Amino acid sequence: MLARRSSSKVTDAAPTPAEIAGFVQAAGQLADHSGLRPWRVIEIRGDARDVLGDSLAKADGVKKKHAEKYRAKARRAPLVLAIVASIRPSHKVPAWEQEAVASGVAHGLSLLLDDEGWGVFWRTGELTRTKAVRAAHKLEKNEVLLGWLYVGGLPLRGRKERAKSRIRVSDHLSSL
């Protein structure tokens, strides 16, 4: 975890669907109150990334014929993994906790992918929960999109030894 970093520049290489399935299975082994598994992951590859770009453009009020900038953003990596919180009815587990579990899956996936040598960055933003983006991802009423993991190969320059963590623990750890 100390060596992990976001990789916003990636190559066209990407993990296979079978590799992603294994990573999702491993990431899904996190603490999950009541075992609700309130999450799912949507793989977006190839031209399907243009659907994502078009939905972002529509959500931002840009006409489809002018959506190239948004399509280019959606194509910044050969694989985009949409992370979805699927909120389950529960008297024990509130919605915020279920979203936290889905976020944990996303974080676990990013760590696993990074550890296996893939470039990964998590993208969110104000358009994430818009009607157009929800429709493009075919989300159910009980689902919310948390963001996307952009995944691709690491360029040679990205494989150098990583810098040490810059986190000052004293700023984030205290006692009662």
Side-chain angles (χ1 to χ4, degrees), residues 11 24 37 41 45 55 68 95-96 108 114 119 122 141 151 157 163 168 171:
T11 70
V24 169
R37 303 215 184 281
V41 178
R45 299 175 186 266
S55 72
E68 198 53 45
W96 71 263
D114 181 82
W122 190 346
K141 287 183 181 182
V151 183
R157 64 176 167 64
R168 289 182 37 191
D171 291 343

Side-chain angles (χ1 to χ4, degrees), residues 127-147:
L127 303 177
T128 305
R129 296 191 180 189
T130 59
K131 187 176 180 179
V133 173
R134 285 184 58 79
H137 289 77
K138 300 176 182 160
L139 300 184
E140 301 291 330
K141 287 183 181 182
N142 66 315
E143 295 183 318
V144 292
L145 179 65
L146 300 181

